[in-house]
Amino acid sequence: MASHAVLSSGAKIWRSIACPKSELRLDLTLACGQSFRWRETSEGHWTGVMKGRVWTLTQTEDSLWYHVYEDGQKTTGHGDLCLEKNGKRPRMKGCLKTGEEPVAVTTQGTEVEEEMLRDYFQLNVKLGELYREWGEADPHFNNIAGVFPGVRMLRQDPTECLFSFICTSNNHISRIQGMVERLCEALGNQLCTLDQSSYHDFPSLHSLKGVGVEARLRELGFGYRARFLQQSAKQILDNHGPDWLDSLRSVPYEEARDALRCLPGVGTKVADCVCLMSLDKASAVPIDTHVWQIAKRDYKYSSGKEQKSITDKLHRDLGDFFRKLWGPYAGWTQSVLFCADLKKFQNLKQKPQLKRPKNEKDEEEERLVSSEKMKPAIKSKKTSARARKKNIKSEGLENS
């Protein structure tokens, strides 16, 4: 049986892209509630389905490594094919010795997969530059930037993103992941099996629209969301066509958001998530009670503080507040703060922070602080010298 690939067991089957961790942190980006299809299958290795393929991703300090499984995958990462008849693991050509750094391997035919990965993580966006801009505009962001570097916004398939987020209402990340996996197992095409785990593609709109889908999903524990999923797929196909969601990438943010809100089970927050995470609307700022609490606690945002729920006006006003503060990539900034506030990542705040690159303003402030610290010491030396002269003069008068 095929196993999940591990970089240290066979670098020959891996490919790499130059990408430092300051530009992408897999552990933060893939587990912060943007996508629900990735899981850590080995330490630092994340396996999931993207663009109809099964991938395992990992990273070293300066590179993003990826392995794509073929249909009916027969190669293993650290399983059957690495064992001799006596059960011992031989030193394979391409395997790494302990402490050995992997070397990038490139072959023909990988250009399409590399482009898929670059598009998915939007690697054309220079995240380090954005972090510096946000830090200069926002002292609170500046305080957490060193602890949570490399949190990128994914560019997901619009169908997968929309129907995954319809499952998020009154839910939490781990339960949503289970729902999305059951949805794919029930209605999506099987792609491969690794270590007894089956991987399926996300269902098509036609599969989600099918007769009996609602009843089947209710049996799988989707509750009232089952109806929203089936009816949204039906409404899209009946009123717009299969390419409609993709076409929303080319319309203004407000138009795309309002169009999505016409679908069953899609409110403003879900619409903003879909706009931000799949429709290229970087300024969309999804607002839920979690983000509202961040605004009140860390930004002293007081508008609507007496309200018990988030109204359309509060959603719009708070989004405008953050867009004015953070600029055209405000949705990306919000994702960093959201990630930093998740319970699962609180242990990172106890670890030593990564040093931020100093800018001219930082260096000037350090020089000013240093010079201020030196002044009392210089003054103290002058005072001590005057005191010694005075004592010597006094002693001379007493002896005379």
Side-chain angles (χ1 to χ4, degrees), residues 169-180 182 221 225:
S169 60
N170 299 314
N171 224 336
H172 54 80
I173 292 177
S174 60
R175 189 161 179 261
I176 298 165
Q177 287 175 322
M179 277 189 170
V180 172
R182 293 196 298 276
R225 305 173 191 86

Side-chain angles (χ1 to χ4, degrees), residues 188-252:
N189 295 324
Q190 182 172 348
L191 299 174
C192 72
T193 300
L194 304 170
D195 292 319
Q196 299 182 336
S197 295
S198 294
Y199 290 87
H200 295 73
D201 203 358
F202 199 86
S204 66
L205 286 170
H206 290 282
S207 297
L208 290 163
K209 175 191 173 181
V211 177
V213 166
E214 179 182 344
R216 189 173 183 187
L217 294 180
R218 285 187 180 275
E219 292 176 355
L220 293 174
F222 282 73
Y224 64 88
R225 305 173 191 86
R227 181 172 178 271
F228 292 154
L229 292 166
Q230 192 272 335
Q231 295 218 339
S232 286
K234 185 177 188 302
Q235 185 170 314
I236 291 171
L237 290 174
D238 290 351
N239 298 345
H240 305 288
D243 299 325
W244 177 68
L245 284 173
D246 292 270
S247 73
L248 295 180
R249 284 178 167 171
S250 61
V251 305

Side-chain angles (χ1 to χ4, degrees), residues 54-73:
V54 182
W55 307 65
T56 293
L57 309 177
T58 190
Q59 60 187 151
T60 49
E61 286 302 319
D62 297 311
S63 298
L64 170 63
W65 292 81
Y66 65 97
H67 174 67
V68 184
Y69 301 88
E70 299 176 0
D71 292 342
Q73 177 73 27

Side-chain angles (χ1 to χ4, degrees), residues 134-385:
W134 298 331
E136 291 172 358
D138 179 359
H140 175 65
F141 179 88
N142 199 43
N143 288 336
I144 67 170
V147 188
F148 294 92
V151 180
R152 299 191 75 87
M153 187 54 55
L154 302 176
R155 188 174 192 255
Q156 301 178 60
D157 172 74
T159 298
E160 177 175 336
C161 189
L162 170 63
F163 287 89
S164 294
F165 273 92
I166 289 177
C167 297
T168 62
S169 60
N170 299 314
N171 224 336
H172 54 80
I173 292 177
S174 60
R175 189 161 179 261
I176 298 165
Q177 287 175 322
M179 277 189 170
V180 172
E181 283 309 309
R182 293 196 298 276
L183 180 66
C184 295
E185 290 170 3
L187 302 174
N189 295 324
Q190 182 172 348
L191 299 174
C192 72
T193 300
L194 304 170
D195 292 319
Q196 299 182 336
S197 295
S198 294
Y199 290 87
H200 295 73
D201 203 358
F202 199 86
S204 66
L205 286 170
H206 290 282
S207 297
L208 290 163
K209 175 191 173 181
V211 177
V213 166
E214 179 182 344
R216 189 173 183 187
L217 294 180
R218 285 187 180 275
E219 292 176 355
L220 293 174
F222 282 73
Y224 64 88
R225 305 173 191 86
R227 181 172 178 271
F228 292 154
L229 292 166
Q230 192 272 335
Q231 295 218 339
S232 286
K234 185 177 188 302
Q235 185 170 314
I236 291 171
L237 290 174
D238 290 351
N239 298 345
H240 305 288
D243 299 325
W244 177 68
L245 284 173
D246 292 270
S247 73
L248 295 180
R249 284 178 167 171
S250 61
V251 305
Y253 158 52
E254 292 81 4
E255 183 179 338
R257 181 195 61 201
D258 293 343
L260 291 170
R261 290 182 62 189
C262 294
L263 298 172
V266 179
T268 305
K269 184 250 183 176
V270 168
D272 269 344
C273 286
V274 178
C275 283
L276 175 63
M277 301 172 192
S278 69
L279 298 181
D280 303 333
K281 316 305 180 195
S283 64
V285 180
I287 304 297
D288 58 9
T289 54
H290 195 81
V291 176
W292 190 16
Q293 291 300 321
I294 292 174
K296 290 189 290 187
R297 183 191 67 212
D298 300 325
Y299 293 89
K300 310 306 177 187
Y301 187 82
S302 58
S303 178
K305 64 180 180 180
E306 302 300 327
Q307 296 176 202
K308 295 183 179 180
S309 61
I310 300 175
T311 62
D312 285 346
K313 183 179 185 303
L314 177 60
H315 197 120
R316 181 178 60 254
D317 291 347
L318 189 50
D320 288 342
F321 169 80
F322 283 131
R323 279 184 281 271
K324 183 178 179 181
L325 176 63
W326 297 326
Y329 280 85
W332 287 51
T333 327
Q334 181 257 22
S335 71
V336 180
L337 297 182
F338 183 85
C339 179
D341 217 50
L342 289 174
K343 187 177 180 180
K344 67 169 73 175
F345 295 132
Q346 294 312 296
N347 63 311
L348 296 178
K349 295 179 180 179
Q350 309 303 321
K351 297 179 180 180
Q353 296 186 20
L354 296 176
K355 292 185 177 179
R356 291 186 298 108
K358 295 180 181 178
N359 54 36
E360 293 180 2
K361 183 178 179 181
D362 293 332
E363 293 174 351
E364 179 63 24
E365 288 177 353
E366 286 186 2
R367 285 195 294 269
L368 289 173
V369 171
S370 179
S371 63
E372 288 298 321
K373 288 181 177 179
M374 291 175 64
K375 287 179 181 178
I378 295 171
K379 184 178 180 181
S380 176
K381 289 180 180 179
K382 290 180 178 179
T383 303
S384 299

Side-chain angles (χ1 to χ4, degrees), residues 382-398:
K382 290 180 178 179
T383 303
S384 299
R386 285 197 296 269
R388 284 196 296 272
K389 289 180 180 179
K390 185 177 181 180
N391 290 338
I392 293 172
K393 186 175 180 180
S394 299
E395 290 173 1
L397 290 173
E398 289 175 0

